[in-house]
Each structure stands twice: as structure tokens, then as C-alpha cells.
Amino acid sequence: MFHTDVLIIGSGPAGASAALLCSTYGLSNMVVTKYRWLADSPRAHYINQRTMEIMKDIGVDEEIIQKASPLEVMGNVVFCTSINGEELGRLPYGANRASRKTDYAVSSPCKQCDLPQHLLEPILLSNAASRGSHVRFDAEYLDHVQDEDGVTVRIMDRLTGVPYFIRTKYLLGADGGNSKVAANLDLPMEGNMGISGSIRIIFNADLSKYISHRPGYLWWVLQPGANIGGIGMGLLRMVRPWNEWQIVWGYDINGELPDLSDENVTKIAHQLIGDDQVPIEIKTASVWKVNQMYATRYSSGRVFCLGDAVHRHPPSNGLGSNSSIQDAYNLIWKLDLVLKGKASVALLDSYNEERTPIGKQIVNRANLSIREFAPIFEALGLTDTQDVEKMKANMAIIKESSEEGAVRREKLRKAIELKSYEFATQGTELNIRYESSAILTDHAVPPVLLRDKDLYYQPSTFPGNRLPHVWFNKDGQEVSSLTIAGKGKFVLLTGIGGEDWLAAAAAAEAEFAVSIRTFIIGPGRDVQDLYGDWAEIREVKEEGCILVRPDGYIMWRSIAGLETNSQLTDVFRGLLGLNETVSSERSFEGKL
């Protein structure tokens, strides 16, 4: 029997990042996957600012940047009749919009980028293996049983058909939308699976003559009569500029499976491109289903699920792999403290408390984005799909010099602008605020969001928020506030007059054996706020303090200076779960 501290089922973004974090923190871990290798198709691709901050914290951001398509290449989201046809409108992607560049720049030291999943996974898993993770391919999870001391997991070697056992202290189910771990745990789920169907076509074709001069990596093509329902909207997505592509094309989930022959999918590709003379090499074609389902609890006892295992949704908003990686980032530092005896298992309850609301939010947001295409269809007169010629005539009205033409043009403009809620939702990505037993707010009222919470990020040091990004000067170098946080350590930030917090932090370090990095911010101190941005954003007095968790989230703050010698140790004792009893959900039941 093999033994490990953490056993991870699945090697996708959730599982690979969990392994990388475990090895970075020095936890023994093993990854098993029933597949012979990693992702063989692009699947997820968008990497948002928060995920890039995480990648920077664990030291793989430069490798990602070298292989990713930068924001400039991502360009616009385009709505058209074909790649070689008429454009109906376009929307700059995220920070590519001139009016949004500052919003993104002041919110994070990291930029959005595009790296398909089949290129991201090898970066994550190879770094995990080089730091100590053990990886076993062709190894299928069957079931598990847990007890007070750990979990015994039954695995089948798919090459020999012989089962074997792995003994682990904690089991992580990162085995995707058809998670067997989640099913064996009987995690409570809400929503529905398989609400619509899509075809995924991956192909090579040099489209640089159509696109290189007007970059766009998502092309929504509307061709009445060309698809189910008569509307005929397909998506052409850049995989690598400008010669590798993915098509997403709908099919009737209640009918027969679509024809995926090379001849038929090549016809679809030529139809969306608008040029049947372009040489095309079909790589793969497959079907998949759109889901709207999320778990209301992510764990039971010593078994935790993350990623698509607990939130299953369409790729709208690019929330899938980002949220999966962020699940792992939330969980692993807590496991690290528990496994090293520095925190109670009660700390692990905060994983459910913090991430289940986020899972529900992203599932509903992604599905809402699909429904938000309806105003585009309405503006173009495509709501009645029975008469294809009538729909084509309706589309032509937007070019007319008429009152109806003017009305339709304005409706189309507003309908495309509404898609900012899918393609420029910085608030959805960064306004994530946690409420849990691992956050101490003293029941204060959080700040009111002054701008649209989905479109715009609002920085705050209110506990439960991500530490805001500002530029500091440290040792003569310009560094982000997020850079001096993280690295698996707690961080305490104070200002001139807050020197007493350093002694309090040293006392907490000694009592709980945790690492707390301390910084005094001010002229002549460890860190200098030369731009004055921290003074404006910190929301506490200079002598107050802000305490940041290893995942960059603010766990507690004091508006004013240290009140008692035991104040900080009392805070840590509560936040590490050392005053708490184990939740009733942390039972240790299971059967082989």
C-alpha cells in the first residue's frame, strides 16, 4: 500500500494546481488520473488577473506568459455574418477597451492572457512533479473509505486491470464534471446537467489574412438557417494566433447525435469562415453538454472536492479553470496548517463556507451570459426562427436609412454592450469576498459597492476581501502589495506608530509556530508608500494593522493601535480554529 499526506484525483487545472501548491508548501502528495496524459484539447483558455496573481505567488507566471497569447492579441469579441463577411459589431476584450485600461492596471500587477488548457496543464503538473509531487497516469479512482486517521482509496491500474490501495490523510476530488469522488460522497447538488448540446471542432487553418490586422479571439457568427432553431449562431475561437481554432456549434440535444465526419465538420468550418477555399486540417470533433449545477457542500470528513467536480457550467465568462485554481489556492494553505499541527481541523470548514457561494455565483453567471445573447437576436429580428428568408431580410434592416433601421441599430449597439457582462467583468473576477470562521469582521458592515459589482472592482481592506494592489518601494525596488504577501505566510501591515504590532506578531509566531511577516509602511521604514496610494486605500489609521492570510485575503484588521498584549494571539487562536469544535459535517464515514 502506498502512503501520502494528500491524494489528488484528477490532473486538470484544479488537481494540477492543488499538487503544485502542496509540493510548494512541502506536503507529500500524489496525483492519479485515469487518462494516459493531460488534456488533449484547448478547452479552458482565459486566465484572469486573480489567477495570474496566484501563478506569480507560486512562481510559474513567467512560464505562462512566455507561452500565452497576450491581451493585445486577444483583441476584440466580434459579431459578424462570417469571418470573411460583414461585421455587425465588436466589443474590446477586458482591458483592451481604452476606457477600461486604467481599471485593470490599478487593480492588479498582473494582466489577463490566453493559454489553452492543454498548454497550461503541463506547466502546472511538471512544476508540481519537479517540486515533489508523484504522478500516476492510467490509474482510475474506484472508491474510498475514511476513518478517524485517514482515507483508504482503491485505485485500478488501467494497464493491468489490477486494483491497489493508497492510504492518505486527505483525499481531494478534482476529477471533473462527472466526478466519481463527488458521487461517492453523495454531495448535495442543485441545478441540472445536460440542458443543451454543443459540438467542439478543433482545426488548423491559416486565417491571418482575415484577422491579423484586426485582432479578435472570439468570433460570434450569425447565419440564419444554418443551425438548429434557425438562428445559426456559431463561435470561432482562437486557440493559437492565427492558425489554430476551435468551433463551438450547437446541436439538438433531444435529437440524434450530429454527423462528426471530417466532410461535415469541414463544411461547418468553411461556412463560419465564409471562404470554402481555405485549406483546413481537422484535428478533433466531439460533442459536449451545457450544465447548470453546483454543490452546496464541497466536503465530507477528510474528503474535499474542487473544480468542475462541484461547479459545472458553460465556458461563458471564462470562469471554469480560474475558479478551479482558486478553489485549490483557498484549500491547500489550510490543509498545510492542519497537517503540520498548527491549526485545528475546524479551519477546514471555512473552505465550504468560502467557496460554495462562489461556485453557485459562477454557475449562475455563466448561464446568464448565454441568455444575454437574446437582445442581439431581438435587435436583428431573429426571434421568429420559422422563416429563414424573413430573418435574413430583418438582418438587412440595420443598413437601411429608415426609422426602423435607426431603432434596430441602437438596439444592437446596446445588446452588444450588454455582453460586457461576459467579456469585461473585472468585478466578477476580483470582488470575491469571503465570509467564514476564518475571517474576523467583528460584525462590522462591509463597504457599499459604488460601481457595478460585476463590471468594476472596488478595493477595500474590509476583512474577507483580497488585499488591494498598490505599488510600494522596498529595498529600492517597486513591488506590489500582493508580492509582499503570499508565499504560504501570514503578513501583518502597519504604519509609523504601529511598532507594538511587531512584538505582538512575534508572540503569536512563538505560540502557534506560524510564520508572520511584518512590514511597517512609511518614510524610512521597511516599505515606503511613495505614491500615497496605500494611505488612501488602507481604511485604518497609521498605527492600526491589517492581517493577511497566505492566500492574500484579509482575515482581520484593527482600525487603531494595539489594545492589549494578547490581542493578536487571541485573533490567531480563533482564526486557526483552536477555540472551535469540529463541525458535524466532518464525519468519517465511507464504504469500499
Side-chain angles (χ1 to χ4, degrees):
M1 182 182 293
F2 300 98
H3 293 264
T4 188
D5 284 344
V6 182
L7 176 61
I8 302 161
I9 310 300
S11 58
S17 57
L20 177 53
L21 285 158
C22 282
S23 291
T24 302
Y25 292 156
L27 299 176
S28 71
N29 68 96
M30 183 180 295
V31 180
V32 301
T33 173
K34 66 181 181 181
Y35 302 107
R36 66 173 183 82
W37 186 234
L38 303 176
D40 59 359
S41 66
R43 303 182 198 174
H45 57 108
Y46 168 60
I47 304 179
N48 65 33
Q49 287 179 297
R50 179 56 186 156
T51 299
M52 282 304 295
E53 291 168 2
I54 294 170
M55 297 297 100
K56 186 176 184 67
D57 183 46
I58 54 182
V60 297
D61 58 313
E62 290 299 329
E63 192 171 351
I64 288 173
I65 291 170
Q66 288 172 8
K67 296 183 179 179
S69 296
L71 186 63
E72 296 74 21
V73 170
M74 293 166 69
N76 299 288
V77 178
V78 183
F79 300 86
C80 59
T81 60
S82 71
I83 304 303
N84 188 31
E86 292 183 282
E87 280 198 32
L88 303 171
R90 56 174 53 207
L91 187 70
Y93 200 97
N96 282 325
R97 191 171 207 160
S99 61
R100 296 299 308 274
K101 287 183 185 293
T102 300
D103 293 328
Y104 283 82
V106 302
S107 301
S108 175
C110 300
K111 291 183 178 181
Q112 306 160 291
C113 64
D114 184 280
L115 186 65
Q117 186 172 333
H118 68 297
L119 301 178
L120 173 63
E121 285 183 11
I123 293 174
L124 298 177
L125 201 62
S126 63
N127 277 280
S130 69
R131 299 181 193 184
S133 298
H134 293 272
V135 184
R136 300 177 75 85
F137 294 97
D138 292 304
E140 183 174 359
Y141 161 86
L142 298 177
D143 45 36
H144 71 269
V145 61
Q146 54 180 315
D147 53 51
E148 292 293 335
D149 299 316
V151 188
T152 301
V153 184
R154 187 160 62 108
I155 304 293
M156 183 181 71
D157 186 322
R158 299 188 74 185
L159 297 179
T160 65
V162 177
Y164 59 92
F165 294 91
I166 299 175
R167 180 68 174 170
T168 184
K169 294 176 182 176
Y170 288 94
L171 173 64
L172 306 189
D175 48 339
N178 294 310
S179 171
K180 189 180 289 187
V181 178
N184 285 347
L185 281 183
D186 197 22
L187 291 181
M189 297 279 185
E190 293 188 5
N192 298 288
M193 296 282 281
I195 59 179
S196 62
S198 286
I199 301 170
R200 177 190 289 116
I201 303 168
I202 312 297
F203 68 98
N204 290 337
D206 183 2
L207 302 184
S208 56
K209 68 177 180 179
Y210 294 126
I211 294 176
S212 61
H213 61 287
R214 49 170 186 164
Y217 89 133
L218 293 175
W219 296 73
W220 295 93
V221 181
L222 288 94
Q223 295 177 341
N227 194 18
I228 61 165
I231 293 176
M233 184 175 73
L235 169 66
L236 191 71
R237 176 197 129 199
M238 176 202 77
V239 176
R240 304 300 281 172
W242 301 109
N243 52 24
E244 187 174 356
W245 302 89
Q246 173 176 310
I247 287 173
V248 178
W249 190 244
Y251 76 94
D252 186 353
I253 198 172
N254 297 312
E256 295 182 358
L257 287 175
D259 178 2
L260 298 182
S261 65
D262 278 5
E263 180 182 1
N264 191 53
V265 297
T266 297
K267 180 181 178 181
I268 293 173
H270 277 147
Q271 182 175 296
L272 296 185
I273 295 168
D275 181 353
D276 61 8
Q277 300 304 306
V278 174
I280 286 177
E281 175 193 357
I282 301 297
K283 299 180 72 174
T284 63
S286 58
V287 297
W288 58 280
K289 297 178 180 179
V290 174
N291 304 314
Q292 185 170 2
M293 180 171 281
Y294 54 87
T296 57
R297 191 179 74 248
Y298 285 6
S299 69
S300 178
R302 291 178 173 269
V303 185
F304 295 79
C305 288
L306 59 161
D308 288 353
V310 284
H311 36 80
R312 305 166 187 179
H313 53 88
S316 313
N317 290 80
L319 297 169
S321 62
N322 289 290
S323 297
S324 299
I325 291 168
Q326 290 165 32
D327 284 345
Y329 197 56
N330 180 284
L331 175 61
I332 301 303
W333 72 268
K334 299 171 183 176
L335 274 179
D336 178 57
L337 291 176
V338 171
L339 283 166
K340 292 175 180 175
K342 299 177 181 180
S344 161
V345 292
L347 174 63
L348 301 178
D349 290 336
S350 66
Y351 173 64
N352 276 297
E353 296 164 356
E354 294 175 358
R355 292 305 295 176
T356 53
I358 305 305
K360 177 180 179 179
Q361 173 190 335
I362 64 173
V363 168
N364 291 336
R365 176 64 257 178
N367 280 276
L368 177 59
S369 289
I370 293 179
R371 297 193 292 274
E372 286 175 343
F373 278 105
I376 294 177
F377 301 147
E378 293 170 6
L380 293 171
L382 303 180
T383 53
D384 183 351
T385 62
Q386 300 304 310
D387 187 336
V388 172
E389 294 306 315
K390 177 63 174 175
M391 286 193 290
K392 291 179 179 178
N394 286 346
M395 286 183 69
I397 292 175
I398 65 169
K399 294 183 284 187
E400 291 182 356
S401 176
S402 64
E403 183 177 348
E404 185 178 2
V407 169
R408 286 189 182 273
R409 286 190 292 274
E410 180 63 9
K411 284 185 176 180
L412 181 60
R413 183 189 69 79
K414 290 181 178 179
I416 290 176
E417 183 62 31
L418 180 64
K419 295 307 292 177
S420 293
Y421 285 89
E422 181 174 357
F423 304 117
T425 50
Q426 188 192 35
T428 297
E429 297 167 359
L430 295 183
N431 281 331
I432 294 172
R433 186 169 67 83
Y434 295 145
E435 295 181 2
S436 75
S437 53
I439 300 290
L440 184 58
T441 63
D442 291 331
H443 307 292
V445 178
V448 176
L449 293 176
L450 302 177
R451 305 170 79 186
D452 188 297
K453 65 180 179 62
D454 291 325
L455 295 181
Y456 300 99
Y457 166 62
Q458 179 170 310
S460 174
T461 63
F462 187 84
N465 284 293
R466 154 189 168 274
L467 177 68
H469 157 67
V470 298
W471 290 112
F472 286 140
N473 185 278
K474 183 177 184 296
D475 301 325
Q477 300 293 319
E478 192 168 69
V479 298
S480 169
S481 52
L482 296 170
T483 303
I484 65 174
K487 300 292 187 293
K489 303 178 187 298
F490 293 93
V491 168
L492 185 146
L493 303 176
T494 188
I496 294 175
E499 289 79 5
D500 289 346
W501 289 112
L502 276 60
E509 275 192 314
E511 181 165 345
F512 303 110
V514 295
S515 179
I516 308 172
R517 302 175 69 199
T518 58
F519 296 96
I520 297 178
I521 302 167
R525 303 308 197 272
D526 305 324
V527 173
Q528 298 180 57
D529 179 26
L530 297 181
Y531 294 109
D533 293 335
W534 179 248
E536 184 174 347
I537 210 172
R538 68 178 184 240
E539 300 173 331
V540 302
K541 297 178 180 179
E542 274 196 281
E543 66 272 21
C545 87
I546 292 171
L547 192 59
V548 186
R549 309 189 318 188
D551 62 352
Y553 270 75
I554 298 165
M555 58 187 271
W556 179 75
R557 70 179 181 181
S558 175
I559 301 297
L562 185 69
E563 296 177 358
T564 65
N565 291 336
S566 65
Q567 188 177 10
L568 201 58
T569 53
D570 290 343
V571 167
F572 267 96
R573 185 173 294 107
L575 293 170
L576 294 175
L578 301 178
N579 291 333
E580 303 293 329
T581 57
V582 177
S583 143
S584 60
E585 290 181 357
R586 302 198 60 73
S587 59
F588 300 99
E589 298 178 356
K591 294 181 179 180
L592 280 175

